Amino acid sequence: MATMTFERSNRRLRWLMLAPALGFVGLMIIFPLLFTLNLSLTDAFGAVNAGNSYHGVRNYADALADGRRFWPAVWRTVFFTIGAVVIETVLGLAIAMLLRRPFRGMRIVRSILMVPLLATPVAIGILWLLILDPTNGIANHLLGGLGIAPQEFLGSVSQSLPVLMLIDVWQWTPMMALLLLAGLSTLPEEPEEAARVDGATAWQRFRFVVLPMLMTTLMTALVLRAVDALKTFDILYATKGPGGGSDFEVETLNVYAYGLTFDYQEYGLASAVLVLFTLFIIGVVVLLRRRSGKASA
Amino acid sequence: MKARVWLRALAIVIVCLVIAMPVVWMIAAAFKTNVQVTDPSVGLWFTPTLENFRAVLADGEIVRSLGNSALVGVVSTVLSAVIAVPAAWAVGRFRMHSTGSLVLVARIVPAISLLVPWYYLFAQLGLVGSYTVLVLSHMFVSVPLILWIMIGFFEGLPVELEEAARTDGLSAFGAFLRIALPLAAPGTATASVLAFIFSWNNFMFALILSDEDTKTMPVTLFNFISYASTDWGGLMAAATLMTVPVLVAAVAGQKYLVAGLTAGATKG
């Protein structure tokens, strides 16, 4: 009897403890998402208190038929994400293996690894504008020393997106390395020792012993990074401004949706784009999760 | 064998240089005159000047923005911790992971799909530009972050201590307050520092939801690029003022912050 009241009071307590967080999520996340969904079916435009009426899925049809801004933004988002995440994963894994065995100065190295991912993205964007300035920047100065002709970098339509991808690589490879390093530290040593005794080379031990054991961490880190890369905004917007530059050259889905809403006040159409964008991200997560499930099975 | 050790050390040094150099360049530029900043042949050896910092700190707008960033960061972090730490305890202790993952949906949803309705609703309530709205929007990042870190932390605490306290007559809530919460203090501190840093760095929410008086530092810095792009020294000084507090935190709490950042990821 006593235990039962105890359990019952616990049940009430646990919901009491969760209530504020769930309330916040409901009010600030679930309700707004439903609001966006609703708005995407209307012709909302202009002032926020202007009346608007439902017109079905026309916004979705308009977005999906838009080959000038929407689809290029989709492909840029995909290109940016795949490019950046693949490079970050490979480099991050290499750095994690490099730092795996303890050494003096590990503390300093780990502090340095945290710098790019904790520094303010807008400050990072401005910093790279200075470094990559076509005439006054250090980047062209260094390339000149190697005998390479000056580049336009962010001033060029064709170079902007790849250059921003490389900035993303600079900023997020350390995070990948830290995550994988944490994953490596949890692995048991015996399987590797056994492989060494059996005469496996360093590469074979990595490929057939360490990598399979690290797969869960690797896939989790990859999903986390892919989700964030899909949503990249700050540095793109800080360096290239509204629309992602004169020719929309770095306009990803995030930048496009932002412009639709706050530059053009196309609330209805923007909401439809955001619903598609959100579904797209959820799709990517589900897909990667399922693949990782297969990999570890 | 000796050669391999040196090769590894060399590789580590190169990795560190590539990661650190841009930020070192920024801090160096903050101490340069505008002529020196835009002359790439001026490397790291020059006579430093504090002129940029003097100009930046004399600019009321920048000082106010730094204050706004600090205010919004502290208030949103404290409120988030108050909400998220008890919730994390409940999720961790009562194994309610489906409820916990509901909150973590926030990790996946693009922030901008919330910014649209927020702006729409808050504009109708006449709240756009208020500190309230900024704090609420920044909590969107910190509540899930603190929850994420603290669930793992509470699960790592031995449940026996709380059970012992309850046999001694404490209620479950008493056990949380008197036993679990003090033990979780280091984790809470780590999570809060990270939440503050992410609030400090946040750009998109304040870009839309703040006004002239309430805008935070990233927005002020962004506005600077367009009309003061010739003042590279001033820009770099402002960027340095934004970044250095975070770097100090990163170096000081390196071990804990890495643990916080990587929490969850290694557990799948």
Side-chain angles (χ1 to χ4, degrees), chain A residues 16-55:
Chain A
L16 222 59
M17 302 290 260
L18 276 166
L22 292 178
F24 180 83
V25 171
L27 222 72
M28 290 293 286
I29 300 175
I30 309 291
F31 174 64
L33 280 178
L34 295 175
F35 192 89
T36 304
L37 196 61
N38 182 52
L39 207 59
S40 73
L41 301 171
T42 72
D43 58 1
F45 173 77
V48 291
N49 50 5
N52 45 51
S53 55
Y54 287 93
H55 65 186

Side-chain angles (χ1 to χ4, degrees), chain A residues 6 10 14 17 21 28 32 36 48 52 98 101 107 110-111 114 118 120 127 170 228 231 254 258 274, chain B residues 8 18-19 22 83 89 96 107 110 112-113 116-118 120 124 166 172 176 201 207-208 246 254 257:
Chain A
F6 218 38
N10 279 349
R14 74 172 84 148
M17 302 290 260
M28 290 293 286
T36 304
V48 291
N52 45 51
L98 187 66
R101 303 266 167 256
R107 260 179 59 95
R110 283 209 305 192
S111 298
M114 288 177 73
L118 290 183
T120 311
L127 159 67
W170 171 79
D228 284 343
K231 298 190 289 190
N254 224 354
Y258 182 91
L274 286 172
Chain B
R8 176 167 179 250
V18 171
I19 295 170
I83 284 181
W89 178 78
M96 308 168 77
R107 189 73 183 67
I112 185 171
S113 64
V116 176
W118 288 350
Y120 209 86
Q124 289 195 328
R166 284 167 67 178
F176 164 71
N201 288 346
L207 190 58
I208 290 305
V246 173
Q254 172 262 128
L257 292 183

Side-chain angles (χ1 to χ4, degrees), chain B residues 48 50 116 133 138 144 168 192 229 263:
Chain B
L50 286 172
V116 176
V133 167
H138 283 219
D168 289 346
S192 300
S229 59

Side-chain angles (χ1 to χ4, degrees), chain A residues 16-131:
Chain A
L16 222 59
M17 302 290 260
L18 276 166
L22 292 178
F24 180 83
V25 171
L27 222 72
M28 290 293 286
I29 300 175
I30 309 291
F31 174 64
L33 280 178
L34 295 175
F35 192 89
T36 304
L37 196 61
N38 182 52
L39 207 59
S40 73
L41 301 171
T42 72
D43 58 1
F45 173 77
V48 291
N49 50 5
N52 45 51
S53 55
Y54 287 93
H55 65 186
V57 293
R58 202 154 82 203
N59 292 325
Y60 292 91
D62 285 350
L64 294 172
D66 175 11
R68 203 175 65 89
R69 297 280 289 274
F70 179 77
W71 284 107
V74 171
W75 299 128
R76 275 184 219 110
T77 308
V78 171
F79 172 73
F80 181 90
T81 302
I82 294 181
V85 173
V86 166
I87 301 174
E88 282 154 20
T89 307
V90 173
L91 286 180
L93 190 56
I95 294 173
M97 290 303 288
L98 187 66
L99 301 178
R100 192 180 176 197
R101 303 266 167 256
F103 60 94
R104 260 190 321 166
M106 185 63 184
R107 260 179 59 95
I108 301 165
V109 173
R110 283 209 305 192
S111 298
I112 291 174
L113 285 177
M114 288 177 73
V115 168
L117 62 111
L118 290 183
T120 311
V122 178
I124 298 289
I126 294 180
L127 159 67
W128 282 98
L129 278 179
L130 172 66
I131 291 175

Side-chain angles (χ1 to χ4, degrees), chain B residues 128-173:
Chain B
V128 168
S130 67
Y131 286 115
T132 311
V133 167
L134 284 178
V135 166
L136 279 174
S137 67
H138 283 219
M139 285 170 71
F140 162 71
V141 178
S142 33
V143 167
L145 178 78
I146 296 176
L147 191 79
W148 180 301
I149 296 174
M150 292 314 290
I151 289 174
F153 204 91
F154 281 119
E155 283 179 336
L157 291 181
V159 70
E160 288 77 15
L161 291 170
E162 284 166 63
E163 278 171 354
R166 284 167 67 178
T167 16
D168 289 346
L170 275 179
S171 66
F173 182 68

Side-chain angles (χ1 to χ4, degrees), chain B:
Chain B
M1 203 59 206
K2 194 82 182 156
R4 281 187 60 178
V5 172
W6 280 106
L7 213 61
R8 176 167 179 250
L10 183 70
I12 291 172
V13 168
I14 290 173
V15 166
C16 287
L17 278 178
V18 171
I19 295 170
M21 262 328 274
V23 177
V24 171
W25 193 251
M26 170 176 85
I27 296 171
F31 291 96
K32 288 177 182 173
T33 65
N34 268 321
V35 175
Q36 289 168 330
V37 176
T38 50
D39 180 357
S41 61
V42 176
L44 296 175
W45 305 114
F46 59 93
T47 319
T49 167
L50 286 172
E51 202 38 58
N52 296 321
F53 288 99
R54 210 167 287 147
V56 164
L57 292 173
D59 184 327
E61 197 188 0
I62 292 179
V63 174
R64 185 149 35 94
S65 303
L66 283 169
N68 286 340
S69 279
L71 177 77
V72 172
V74 168
V75 176
S76 68
T77 301
V78 169
L79 289 179
S80 300
V82 168
I83 284 181
V85 171
W89 178 78
V91 171
R93 276 292 171 260
F94 299 108
R95 318 217 156 277
M96 308 168 77
H97 281 104
S98 47
T99 316
S101 58
L102 182 73
V103 181
L104 298 176
V105 166
R107 189 73 183 67
I108 294 174
V109 171
I112 185 171
S113 64
L114 300 165
L115 190 56
V116 176
W118 288 350
Y119 177 73
Y120 209 86
L121 293 166
F122 289 134
Q124 289 195 328
L125 294 170
L127 281 172
V128 168
S130 67
Y131 286 115
T132 311
V133 167
L134 284 178
V135 166
L136 279 174
S137 67
H138 283 219
M139 285 170 71
F140 162 71
V141 178
S142 33
V143 167
L145 178 78
I146 296 176
L147 191 79
W148 180 301
I149 296 174
M150 292 314 290
I151 289 174
F153 204 91
F154 281 119
E155 283 179 336
L157 291 181
V159 70
E160 288 77 15
L161 291 170
E162 284 166 63
E163 278 171 354
R166 284 167 67 178
T167 16
D168 289 346
L170 275 179
S171 66
F173 182 68
F176 164 71
L177 211 61
R178 308 260 295 268
I179 310 292
L181 204 54
L183 287 172
T188 310
T190 304
S192 300
V193 169
L194 284 174
F196 178 83
I197 291 173
F198 284 117
S199 166
W200 179 262
N201 288 346
N202 193 299
F203 173 55
M204 199 205 261
F205 296 154
L207 190 58
I208 290 305
L209 298 174
S210 68
D211 64 16
E212 263 318 292
D213 293 327
T214 56
K215 68 182 176 197
T216 56
M217 192 56 193
V219 179
T220 304
L221 202 57
F222 171 69
N223 292 340
F224 255 54
I225 318 176
S226 41
Y227 66 84
S229 59
T230 44
D231 181 17
W232 281 111
L235 271 171
M236 289 302 128
T240 301
L241 279 178
M242 274 229 79
T243 315
V244 163
V246 173
L247 299 191
V248 172
V251 173
Q254 172 262 128
K255 194 171 141 200
Y256 303 101
L257 292 183
V258 169
L261 277 172
T262 53
T266 45
K267 291 180 198 118

